[in-house]
């Protein structure tokens, strides 16, 4: 069992005996577990009398945000933005009258935030001791989406600009990855938002959340709506960016094809003319021996053709400054 | 603290002492703050006893439209169309029984509207003194979206026309920017509309809003629905415009490719013929020496080919008036 | 003030005095106004005691369909299909116990329908006198969408057929205009439908609408759902038509490019061969002087190439009846 | 009046007198009408005392599925899959305590189903006599959508396969027609489903539908949900098929263009070389007279070019088995 | 009748007599049927007194997930992921006070799970004996979607990667098949989710599901929401993949066309020049006899043209490392 037991601002490494002792005393404590091994699982079942469905869930990360009411405790799963691009940061809460258990895995910055807050304010917990742990951690988890989405915002803008400059296949791969990331963020933000809507409307109650505590929950809910709106907006923009890519490529193709067509339209006729006077008809060859014949047929005729075509293209707007 | 304190139509620069004095008197006054510095923040907390969650929100602009009920006041955030294209105009309201506090940043035309109204009507406030400030400012903020959307409407039409004339990459960038703008307007209009729906249905109550006041709120709500419908309509049109762009480009490409194909189909065979008679087969060369050989093979043969192809293209509808 | 006052089936030009006299008598009358000038506005405020928010709305056309309850009257806005393609036909109703005021602008066919109905049935008003005016006009306004949508239906079919025959840029412009029209129709039909849903469910009550009257309202509601379903269906079809356009253009491009490729694939190799035998290598030239050399290299060789390519294209399905 | 009057399993041609007599007797009977002519309309109004809004609706087919409650009867419109591809099969029901009236137009297989059922079970009607007629006909109408959608399912699959083999313009027309058909089916299935949801939830009551009858209604509702889900699924697949069409065409274009590019890239340089040695520079001509010059410049040089290009294309994956 | 009758953990082959005997005894038993033949149908109707609508449904697989309440039993249909790609695994449940009947067809792994669980725990059924059968089977059925969707997830990623490497027609077919599969999974997952929402909210009650049992149902519901979210996410990704395909193909086309344009732009002018000096104008031919004429016109002139074009293309970014 890898855990930390905090009481009155003092943290010690958690052991089964220590937990049993604190539970017996009836004073409030906070147990933080870094993953659930078989010992921790056993402690949850036997010492805390946690329902085995909840104890099982705590062992299996990848749960969706949810709040579940049991007889003697409330089970809660909250997600924050992931530390790297692989998935989200998931924390499970077991909230009872005399204790709060948090379950995380590996590095978890919101934990430090709680310790720092407790250090700063000493033991004077805001509202209720459960609520301090709960609010500070959830607030930290939820707000971690904002910097993540800021980066996302800039990425979309950069991508859009890059596409307008030069559309590439790599950008399509990036767009797909961003879409996938956004879907995975959305998958946790939407149920999280709805979960807090239920909490602030009073449909769901959490031990230790007073009327005053509800206001803090409303603040978290407000942030979640903003995040959810942002995610929906980015989703729209991403699909707009994909459309821009396709349209830009098509535009480029048009430019390329115009160039090809101009070249072909100018040189195919001219080459035909040179081919014409390269034929071995003796009758023709003997009649175009003079300098005037050369100037008229080979020089002037070709020039007239070339100029006529250039004029034609300029009139169609294919040549000149605005031909892109 | 940068603020203006207005009572009975007279405005003076706000100071901490003046505010405390007015609060003690119990007469209604309106305090307008241009941003919240640390002194203003302190005044909110200590003189007005504003909940620190609300005082913190007032310091951080970029809030979504919302109305939050506290014990001794109601906190409200309302947005109007931005003065430039960067974001929206945001005003925070703290409405209590004896005062209204408005928080804005920088230039804020709706403020002038309130002063002008108060000047025009003297001190006879409509319904309740809170409501005059609230209604005139919100009405002004909400209605500021109409000219913004009018411009938007014309922009879409102009863009659509420009695309049908000549699709370019620049238009794609403009479309993306417009989509982004529309999303950001939508992000404030939708919650603002829902907020007023809650107000006029009586779910949310605001100090100083009487039954008569509700009718004015209904009027604002009506405008917000219209704005929201407009925004949804423009969103649809924007995506339609993007589709038009792609289709127009494809159409143009088709025209270009037809021209290339016509040129190639006419001149590749003709050039082959001239090439044929340019070969150095002595047997051939010695048999096409006469004038008739030249006229038949070099002139007539080529002419027949060219005419046959022209007829073929005309039959396929690729040449002539309707060939675009 | 341009208005008509109708009582017991008799219509006279409305004046302020006449209105005041009728109001004093307490008998039911119907006042129809062609726009609200300042005199009419004043009459509404002072003679009828209409709330100034309603009187202001009546002056500003472009309102969304709505029904608003005031102390002494109900305010209602209903739209019908426009007489030309610019916008919809808008009628405002002010319904009270002893009078109905209708406000329209310019030509308004539903008015004639009411007069005709009153003439036909004399003064025996169906259900209540208010309801006759209300029902006949709204019924006429709502049903005016059906012929409009019939035309729309045919337009889509014609456009789809035209696109499959020959996709053009003009069609894209038409599609965009149709989309815009549909959006503007939808913007009035959807709230109108929801408004009648509220009326027939009893959430909203209108003076003079009895239980029996509700059945007529249900009939109007039924028509509005059908119109709304039609509009949604056409929206789907329009976007399908735009997709068809793009796909058809791409298909055409494919056909064009196949032709270009066939021409180039046949004539580029042949021209190379003629070029080969057009070279001035004396060694070559002196060895291809005979008739057989000409027949083998110039005729047979080229024919074999041409036939081989034709066979190849036929095998790929690019030539022949099904090559489109 | 074209109608059949059925009582105790015996069917006779309906006349006004017969109907009046049966109505007077108070025994249950079933009247089936093939369209409403003016006599039938009059019978509905005067003998049955049907509300004239309902009698008018019964005359005008093209109603949406609905159930409307009147004082003395319930009016119901139910649709089944059409016998041909033009529209749906529409049946109107007027259900009262002592009679059921069904209104259809032309050929209507569900009618035969009722007669057959009555013949099979004699006069022992299940639950109530009204319900037998109602349930058997509606069940038959609703289930008629299944074979229709089965055909649709196969059509989509066939179309998808055909598109992957060879995309054509005709397929686009077929897709558009299928979309239109699906929209028209959806337009009747969705309200029909919602109508039965209201019936089984008890919001809407129908004369003669007992608790046991509700179970049969639930069965019909279950089928309608399945149909509705199928329709939504096919809608998704249709738009997927349209996208496949566009992508397939683009893929084909790519293949065509690669071929053109290969041909041009091989033969344009080769032709340039032959052109080079076809120039009439005496200095050149006199220096390439020998056999070696011919072999080196005309044969080897060209071969090297051709081989180098072939190697290049193979390396790019444009040639060989996987070049499609 | 192919069935197994299990009581107190002992399974025997079911016969009509045995069933009647157990029903008479009143002890709980579980009857599992592999399809419903006419004998089983008759047993359901006569021995169990199952409503014939339910008995008919049990005979016809392809039902949507549903729970239906009858007087003496509850009828339930639950789907799991199919064993192969054709459809889903469907199990029907008839749950009464003294027995549970399960109906499956062919191979059904969840059955083994129940037997294994009963063997492991002996006869100590969790909560109620009905619930053990119900929960273990449904849990197994629902969780069978997870490995299915994992495979799906990988397929999408692989496809996206494959498309970015080389878009083909086969991938379009695969995408369409995946879309179809996803739609069919969605068609069972969505109603299944809603069904369990109704169960855990208490709207629907099932015999033998106690308060404690509700928690297990909530667990199943939680899994169903996750599955439903995954399905929605994949749907989004699939359409994104289709868009990527189209954009990648367009990108490739652009590259191909650039190559063609480069080749044509370089060689068409050069070939024109060689053609020019291949003309048989005696005046020209006699003036370009010297070595210098050859070097200047044939070598230098052509080289300058080629270099100028290469520089031009490099400046446009069409040549070099980033030209893809």
């Amino acid at each position: 069992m890898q855990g930390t037991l905090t009481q009155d601002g003092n943290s010690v490494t958690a052991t089964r005996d220590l937990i049993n002792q604190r539970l017996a005393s009836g004073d409030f404590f906070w147990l933080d577990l870094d993953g659930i091994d078989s010992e921790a699982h056993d402690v949850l079942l036997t010492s805390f009398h946690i329902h085995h469905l909840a104890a099982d869930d705590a062992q299996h990360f990848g749960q969706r945000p949810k709040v579940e009411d049991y007889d003697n405790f409330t089970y809660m799963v909250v997600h924050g933005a992931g530390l790297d691009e692989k998935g989200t940061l998931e924390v499970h809460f077991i909230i009872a009258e005399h204790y709060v258990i948090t379950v995380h895995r590996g590095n978890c910055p919101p934990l430090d935030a709680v310790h720092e807050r407790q250090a700063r304010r000493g033991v004077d917990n805001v509202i209720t001791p459960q609520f301090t742990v709960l609010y500070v951690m959830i607030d930290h988890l939820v707000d971690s989406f904002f910097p993540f989405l800021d980066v996302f915002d800039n990425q979309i803008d950069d991508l859009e600009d890059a596409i307008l400059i030069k559309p590439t296949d790599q950008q399509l791969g990036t767009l797909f990855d961003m879409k996938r990331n956004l879907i995975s963020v959305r998958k946790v933000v939407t149920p999280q938002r709805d979960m807090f809507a239920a909490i602030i409307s009073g449909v769901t109650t959490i031990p230790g959340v007073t009327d005053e505590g509800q206001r803090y929950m409303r603040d978290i809910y407000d942030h979640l709506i903003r995040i959810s709106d942002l995610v929906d907006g980015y989703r729209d923009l991403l699909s707009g960016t994909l459309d821009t890519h396709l349209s830009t490529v098509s535009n480029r193709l048009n430019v390329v094809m115009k160039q090809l067509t101009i070249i072909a339209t100018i040189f195919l006729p001219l080459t035909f003319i040179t081919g014409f006077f390269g034929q071995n008809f003796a009758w023709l060859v003997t009649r175009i021996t003079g300098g005037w014949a050369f100037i008229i047929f080979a020089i002037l005729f070709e020039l007239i053709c070339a100029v006529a075509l250039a004029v034609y293209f300029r009139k169609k707007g294919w040549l000149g400054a605005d031909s892109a």
Side-chain angles (χ1 to χ4, degrees), chain A:
Chain A
M1 183 166 61
Q2 279 202 302
T4 310
L5 199 154
T6 307
Q7 196 168 33
D8 295 335
N10 303 317
S11 299
V12 293
T13 301
T15 63
R16 185 192 287 258
D17 291 342
L18 201 63
I19 288 166
N20 286 336
Q21 182 189 323
R22 297 289 164 101
L23 276 171
S25 79
D27 291 337
F28 178 81
F29 67 94
W30 166 35
L31 172 64
D32 174 64
L33 295 170
D34 186 349
I36 304 277
D37 54 16
S38 58
E39 191 196 355
H41 190 247
D42 192 55
V43 167
L44 288 181
L45 290 178
T46 57
S47 302
F48 288 100
H49 304 294
I50 299 299
H51 195 283
H52 78 90
L53 278 175
D56 288 359
D57 273 2
Q59 266 188 319
H60 297 98
F61 270 50
Q63 304 286 333
R64 47 191 296 282
K66 60 178 173 184
V67 54
E68 289 179 347
D69 198 39
Y70 287 90
D71 285 342
N72 51 339
F73 67 95
T74 295
Y75 187 76
M76 207 168 170
V77 179
V78 179
H79 288 251
L83 301 178
D84 49 23
E85 298 217 335
K86 287 169 198 146
T88 52
L89 189 63
E90 184 175 348
V91 178
H92 295 214
F93 296 87
I94 294 168
I95 310 141
E97 207 168 332
H98 296 300
Y99 59 85
V100 168
I101 306 173
T102 53
V103 186
H104 69 278
R105 281 198 186 162
N107 191 8
C108 180
L111 279 179
D112 307 332
V114 181
H115 288 299
E116 187 207 354
R117 167 73 80 101
Q118 289 183 324
R120 212 171 47 196
R121 302 213 175 181
V123 294
D124 84 310
N125 291 306
V126 176
I127 306 165
T128 59
Q130 295 97 317
F131 191 72
T132 308
V133 177
L134 200 65
Y135 171 68
V136 176
M137 281 196 75
I138 294 177
D139 192 41
H140 207 281
L141 283 167
V142 166
D143 285 2
S144 68
F145 285 112
F146 284 115
F148 171 85
L149 291 175
D150 270 356
V151 172
F152 210 90
D153 193 283
N154 291 331
Q155 273 184 309
I156 294 180
D157 266 1
D158 292 352
L159 203 58
E160 175 78 19
D161 290 348
I163 285 170
L164 286 177
I165 293 168
K166 184 177 183 55
T168 66
D169 275 9
Q170 283 72 28
Q171 292 159 349
L172 294 173
T174 308
L175 272 171
F176 185 79
D177 290 345
M178 289 175 82
K179 196 165 192 175
R180 201 175 240 285
N181 278 348
L182 207 60
I183 286 174
S184 73
V185 167
R186 203 167 171 244
K187 215 157 56 190
V188 300
V189 166
T190 310
Q192 204 147 302
R193 186 196 61 193
D194 296 345
M195 175 172 116
F196 277 88
I199 291 171
I200 66 166
S201 71
V203 172
T204 311
T205 54
I206 296 173
V209 178
T210 59
D211 275 10
E212 174 65 13
Q214 287 285 50
R215 278 183 193 142
Y216 287 82
M217 288 303 185
R218 192 171 62 186
D219 198 54
I220 289 173
Y221 175 58
D222 191 53
H223 291 193
L224 280 167
I225 298 182
R226 262 156 69 194
I227 291 165
S228 169
D229 282 356
L230 284 172
V231 168
D232 284 350
Y234 293 147
R235 201 185 166 209
D236 239 34
L237 285 179
L238 271 189
S239 85
T241 307
L242 194 55
D243 289 345
T244 305
H245 192 281
L246 186 58
S247 291
T248 313
V249 168
S250 298
N251 245 3
R252 297 294 160 96
L253 185 60
N254 233 335
V255 174
V256 172
M257 293 317 297
K258 272 185 190 167
Q259 165 153 355
L260 175 58
T261 304
I262 291 171
I263 288 291
T265 309
I266 289 177
F267 283 103
L268 285 185
L270 295 187
T271 303
F272 165 68
I273 295 168
T274 63
F276 189 86
F277 292 106
Q279 293 178 110
N280 294 324
F281 291 100
W283 190 87
L284 172 69
V285 174
T286 55
R287 265 159 193 80
I288 52 169
T289 52
W292 281 111
F294 174 70
I295 288 165
I296 290 168
F297 289 117
I299 307 291
L300 278 185
F301 193 32
E302 303 245 345
L303 270 181
I304 288 165
C305 274
V307 167
L309 286 164
V311 167
Y312 170 72
F313 287 127
R314 182 168 294 276
K315 228 181 67 192
K316 286 191 82 163
W318 287 16
L319 292 174
D322 63 333
S323 69

